[in-house]
Amino acid sequence: MKLIRYGQAGAEKPGVIIDDIRYDVSSFVADFDERFFTNGGLEKLKQYVDENAGKLPTVSNDERLGSPIARPSKILCVGLNYADHAKETNAPMPSEPILFMKSTTSLTGPNDIVVTPKNSTKTDWEVELGVVIGKKATYVDEAEAEAYIAGYVLIHDVSEREFQLERNGTWDKGKGCDTFAPIGPWLITPDEIGDVNNLKLWLKVNGKTMQNGTTANLIFKVPYLVSYISQFMTLLPGDVISTGTPAGVGLGFNPPIYLKHGDVVELGADNLGEQRQDIVAYEKL
């Protein structure tokens, strides 16, 4: 099953995609949020959709898509989780997952504009596989971790490298800027994702391929990440874990390449759909 949220920003309605057709399910569920996942929403929604096949109202393909998850309590991110990406940034291979957070105010739809922050000169791109938590997770064993996963999403982990690496402190300053977490177009449930350890990911800037990787090269796999993070904090239903990016980011080029006003970024992954964003400088808004 594929879950979507559609409509104007801040007023999205829940929907599903079945056989490439969008359907509205707002008469059954208010939103895809923590309460939805906590109360067994996925199972109830599937039953509702099956029982009402052919009766659900359709949604136009012209409707804007928002993030398929309403604002989660946390957007957790894993840094340097691909060996080739660590190498291109001259960073040592991590012995444990590197964790940071993106602010929930960075969340946006998959095709909304990305705004380079005020005075930014080093805004970068990162295509990533995202994991959505389905039930409360505290001190989870790795062998049981998959039972805590509601589904998977495509994430663009936009990053301002000066803010991240040159302004002291943690990485969060360069990761949580407004519009820096486009998610979607949909959440796909585990039964439809295929082999999560062998998904192709790609990203283009102005039509040129910059990233072309696969989740087969993840250093720390999805079940380990869910278990590991749950040792340090409780993961709530609807929380998102962004699992890292393969090589090909702007920082890794010599000289580095960064996004500028007027650029267009396109990205995608197997079974997770595609995104497209126009890059707009804050000063041009």
Side-chain angles (χ1 to χ4, degrees), residues 68-81:
I69 311 105
R71 183 182 291 185
S73 80
K74 295 182 284 298
I75 303 174
L76 278 299
C77 302
V78 184
L80 304 175
N81 199 24

Side-chain angles (χ1 to χ4, degrees), residues 14 51 72 78 84 92 107 109 115 132 134 149 151 176 178 186 195 224 284:
E51 291 175 351
V78 184
D84 55 358
L107 187 67
V115 179
V132 180
I149 297 173
D178 292 352
W186 54 68
D195 184 358
Y224 181 84
K284 300 285 187 177

Side-chain angles (χ1 to χ4, degrees), residues 170-189:
T170 66
W171 290 3
D172 301 64
K173 285 185 281 189
K175 294 287 191 172
C177 306
D178 292 352
T179 75
F180 270 26
I183 297 182
W186 54 68
L187 176 154
I188 189 168
T189 50

Side-chain angles (χ1 to χ4, degrees), residues 240-252:
V240 180
I241 300 172
S242 198
T243 60
T245 197
V249 301
L251 177 64

Side-chain angles (χ1 to χ4, degrees), residues 34 38 72-76 99 101 131-140 148 225-241:
E34 181 180 341
T38 299
S73 80
K74 295 182 284 298
I75 303 174
L76 278 299
L99 303 181
M101 291 189 179
V131 180
V132 180
I133 299 300
K135 60 182 180 180
K136 186 177 179 180
T138 306
Y139 299 118
V140 172
Y148 290 81
L225 292 174
V226 173
S227 173
Y228 180 87
I229 296 172
S230 77
Q231 309 305 307
F232 300 96
M233 66 192 78
T234 294
L235 295 168
L236 296 178
D239 281 356
V240 180
I241 300 172

Side-chain angles (χ1 to χ4, degrees), residues 25-46:
V25 293
S26 61
S27 63
F28 178 74
V29 57
D31 211 345
F32 298 141
D33 54 13
E34 181 180 341
R35 177 178 294 183
F36 168 78
F37 292 108
T38 299
N39 295 326
L42 278 175
E43 294 78 9
K44 295 175 183 177
L45 177 62
K46 186 178 187 307

